[in-house]
Amino acid sequence: MLGPVSGRVPDVERIAVLRANALGDFIFVLPTLDALRAAYPEAELVLLGAPWHAKLFGDRPGPVDRVLVVPPAPGIRGRDPGEPESSMDDFLAAARAERFDLALQVHGGGANSNPFVSGLGARVTAGLRAEDAPPLDRWLRYVYYQHEVIRYLEVAALVGAPATTVLPTLAVTDTDRLEARAVLGAPSRPRVALHPGATDTRRRWPAERFAEVARELVADGYEVLVTGTPAEQEVVDRVVAAAGVPVRPQVGTLSLGALAACYADCALVVSNDTGPLHLAAAVGAPTVGVFWVGNLINVGHPLRGRHRPIMSWRVHCPVCGVDCTPGVYPARPGDGDCPHRDSFVTDVPTVEVVEAARELLTTAG
């Protein structure tokens, strides 16, 4: 049991859970959804999410019964390319008509999301509260340095749903596997996937280092895939060009479900700290991840039998030298945030990643 468990809410037929952000963020809330399903097995569990959540859970087994796509709004989610305009007032009116018994905010500190959750009209609301956020019926203080999985399990506990697991897991379907096989073909030798992108460029290990890893693993006899989103085409191209050995770039060729199936069939996934790394772990693949130490505290996988986080301990901006940690601790001396977005993980040497990869390829399988 994690943290204090408040009383279970009686007569719950429908639960709304707000988590409308990115892939990695969603992976971390899967144990919370599992806890709610176990505590309220007869209730309908409705995820308030983004369009990609609706696609992912179209026919996927798991704790989510249904997805309601939340309109874009500040602090809730951004607008997808080509997404039509939609009214938040209309969405909230329709949500109130659903008569939710519980509404949980597992979306962040709550400055924008707590008013949204309160607007759903649920009998009981619960979630996190930063200093600038209004309260919900049941709430916990938002503290930045806490593992994301545990953070949101504590919210579930507020409504009488103790943890059943701390490990996120996502089911891979036959449809996922068929699509991945149609794109990638059958492997002729064990596969390893490299994912050199990350939305936050401060989390990106140099493309040339990923290329060095690719060379070593191809020489070891592995088929190497280099995965990326269309926005990461440039960094994937750099890895492929610098590797100088046959690797298979996969940029935008796989749906999210097929990517999950691809990773599930890999002997190893090597990635920056970004959504695909956490997806790979959730579908059972061994992983080597390159992390900034602060992010490892919040999102690093807790197990080491099949997962190796390789840490950078850098806390000063590599451009201007500003100490970037006091922003979370304003009473401490230091400089706080800076505007630069250069990588904080370039001090991680290739040899550490290769050694961890080879160790897992030898033992984790």
Side-chain angles (χ1 to χ4, degrees):
M1 187 177 296
L2 298 169
V5 179
S6 299
R8 191 172 181 275
V9 179
D11 304 320
V12 171
E13 297 181 358
R14 188 167 291 114
I15 304 171
V17 179
L18 175 64
R19 187 67 164 173
N21 34 21
L23 173 61
D25 300 310
F26 177 72
I27 296 296
F28 305 137
V29 86
L30 285 168
T32 295
L33 297 171
D34 290 334
L36 291 168
R37 169 57 66 224
Y40 299 94
E42 304 302 321
E44 183 185 28
L45 192 53
V46 181
L47 176 67
L48 308 184
W52 73 265
H53 294 102
K55 293 178 182 177
L56 184 67
F57 281 100
D59 61 352
R60 189 173 307 279
V64 175
D65 293 309
R66 182 161 52 100
V67 176
L68 286 181
V69 176
V70 179
I76 304 296
R77 73 171 184 89
R79 186 180 303 280
D80 288 356
E83 183 178 358
E85 295 283 343
S86 53
S87 166
M88 181 61 77
D89 290 339
D90 290 347
F91 176 88
L92 290 174
R96 286 191 290 270
E98 299 239 11
R99 302 181 66 84
F100 288 108
D101 298 291
L102 292 179
L104 274 66
Q105 186 276 101
V106 289
H107 195 72
N112 296 288
S113 50
N114 283 3
F116 171 86
V117 167
S118 295
L120 298 171
R123 283 198 290 124
V124 177
T125 60
L128 295 161
R129 183 189 182 192
E131 290 185 1
D132 59 347
L136 298 170
D137 296 326
R138 303 180 183 184
W139 59 273
L140 287 169
R141 178 69 63 192
Y142 178 90
V143 179
Y144 180 76
Y145 280 121
Q146 179 183 18
H147 199 285
E148 292 283 286
V149 169
I150 306 303
R151 186 195 309 281
Y152 298 115
L153 281 171
E154 286 201 285
V155 174
L158 291 176
V159 295
T164 59
T165 181
V166 296
L167 300 179
T169 57
L170 186 73
V172 177
T173 68
D174 290 341
T175 301
D176 298 333
R177 294 185 180 94
L178 287 170
E179 182 189 339
R181 180 62 62 92
V183 173
L184 300 173
S188 58
R189 56 193 187 278
R191 281 177 176 155
V192 172
L194 311 183
H195 190 90
T199 302
D200 187 342
T201 53
R202 294 172 298 178
R203 300 183 186 184
R204 286 190 181 183
W205 199 44
E208 294 71 25
R209 311 262 179 94
F210 276 102
E212 292 173 22
V213 174
R215 282 197 297 276
E216 295 289 339
L217 296 182
V218 168
D220 289 347
Y222 292 93
E223 178 185 16
V224 174
L225 311 178
V226 186
T227 60
T229 66
E232 295 164 342
Q233 180 74 63
E234 184 269 339
V235 69
V236 170
D237 289 345
R238 285 171 54 200
V239 173
V240 172
V245 294
V247 297
R248 298 181 63 186
Q250 301 295 321
V251 178
T253 59
L254 299 165
S255 70
L256 185 54
L259 183 66
C262 165
Y263 288 158
D265 286 341
C266 282
L268 180 70
V269 175
V270 181
S271 174
N272 296 314
D273 165 27
T274 188
L277 175 69
H278 308 296
L279 174 66
V283 298
T287 67
V288 175
V290 178
F291 284 84
W292 177 64
V293 61
N295 293 330
L296 181 66
I297 294 170
N298 283 22
V299 302
H301 200 285
L303 303 185
R304 293 295 171 267
R306 293 167 61 83
H307 306 283
R308 296 288 190 276
I310 310 298
M311 284 174 285
S312 168
W313 296 86
R314 174 179 282 148
V315 297
H316 293 88
C317 170
V319 177
C320 65
V322 162
D323 182 347
C324 291
T325 57
V328 183
Y329 301 107
R332 301 187 187 187
D335 304 300
D337 295 331
C338 79
H340 302 110
R341 289 298 179 266
D342 291 58
S343 174
F344 266 64
V345 296
T346 57
D347 58 325
V348 172
T350 305
V351 64
E352 290 185 12
V353 174
V354 171
E355 287 178 351
R358 284 177 170 150
E359 180 186 9
L360 286 176
L361 287 166
T362 301
T363 62

